[in-house]
Amino acid sequence: MKLTDNVLRSFRVAKVFRENSDKINCFDFSSNGESIISSSDDDSLVLYDCQEGKPKRTLYSKKYGVDLIRYTHAANTVVYSSNKIDDTIRYLSLHDNKYIRYFPGHNKRVTSLSMSPVDDTFISGSSDKTIRLWDLRSPNCQGLMHLQGKPVCSFDPEGLIFAAGINSEMVKLYDLRSFDKGPFATFKLQYDRTCEWTGLKFSNDGKLILLSTNGGALRVLDAFKGAVS
């Protein structure tokens, strides 16, 4: 099925899940598309079976809270940020509900988390005005960038570059192999006082960048020229 504008407009709600007692703050598909996991402000992680269309399992992170949940390349492990106690990122095995590793470093709330599409690298952005580069196999930060404002960030579909949206007004593109040399492209956008950027994501072909906001609008940019679509 090709997802055209008319096809999307014809979609209707087929099923409603009421597993949570508070806001769902994030959800993510597994790489094989067979399951979805959600994180919620009620401290729960709910695993859904996409083929059967029903909840499969609920886990809890009562002590640390849970936000920005992301599957890794293994279908039974996830990383997520904490929204209680501290701002450490946690790597969890869903199989036995045990932590594999902690990633400390940020000292304010994590605002962005993105897994590389090609390996065990991931990046995180935080209200502490930094982006950190990590490897799932090590608790030590692999790279650190100090920025001029709060970032949202994401890898491109090939895992070669990443984009950082800064202060809800600027998008910078970095080569992963030489990000310490600064961005190779910067797009300045008109600042909208009515909303802040809450997320950034590339389209599957890498040609567009989607900026989500806490207002009533989404922004779509040309990933090569920075023009707003």
Side-chain angles (χ1 to χ4, degrees), residues 94-124:
L94 300 174
H95 171 67
D96 51 9
N97 195 23
K98 290 184 178 176
Y99 292 113
I100 301 168
R101 194 160 286 116
Y102 300 121
F103 303 95
H106 288 299
N107 54 40
K108 287 188 178 178
R109 185 163 182 154
V110 176
T111 54
S112 233
L113 206 53
S114 175
M115 281 296 307
S116 165
V118 295
D119 58 25
D120 285 337
T121 303
F122 69 96
I123 53 174
S124 59

Side-chain angles (χ1 to χ4, degrees), residues 182-213:
F184 64 84
T186 299
F187 308 132
K188 186 89 189 295
L189 280 71
Q190 187 172 354
Y191 181 62
D192 184 349
R193 294 179 181 276
T194 64
C195 62
E196 290 186 353
W197 298 350
T198 56
L200 183 154
K201 194 170 179 62
F202 281 86
S203 59
N204 287 339
D205 61 8
K207 293 180 180 177
L208 299 171
I209 294 172
L210 174 71
L211 291 163
S212 54
T213 74

Side-chain angles (χ1 to χ4, degrees), residues 55-96:
K56 192 160 64 172
R57 193 177 172 204
T58 300
L59 305 172
Y60 291 94
S61 180
K62 291 287 187 185
K63 183 177 180 181
Y64 304 112
V66 55
D67 198 356
L68 299 174
I69 191 119
R70 299 284 184 266
Y71 273 109
T72 67
H73 294 290
N76 61 347
T77 60
V78 293
V79 291
Y80 64 83
S81 65
S82 314
N83 52 21
K84 289 181 177 180
I85 295 183
D86 61 19
D87 303 288
T88 297
I89 297 164
R90 291 177 163 81
Y91 181 22
L92 178 71
S93 166
L94 300 174
H95 171 67
D96 51 9

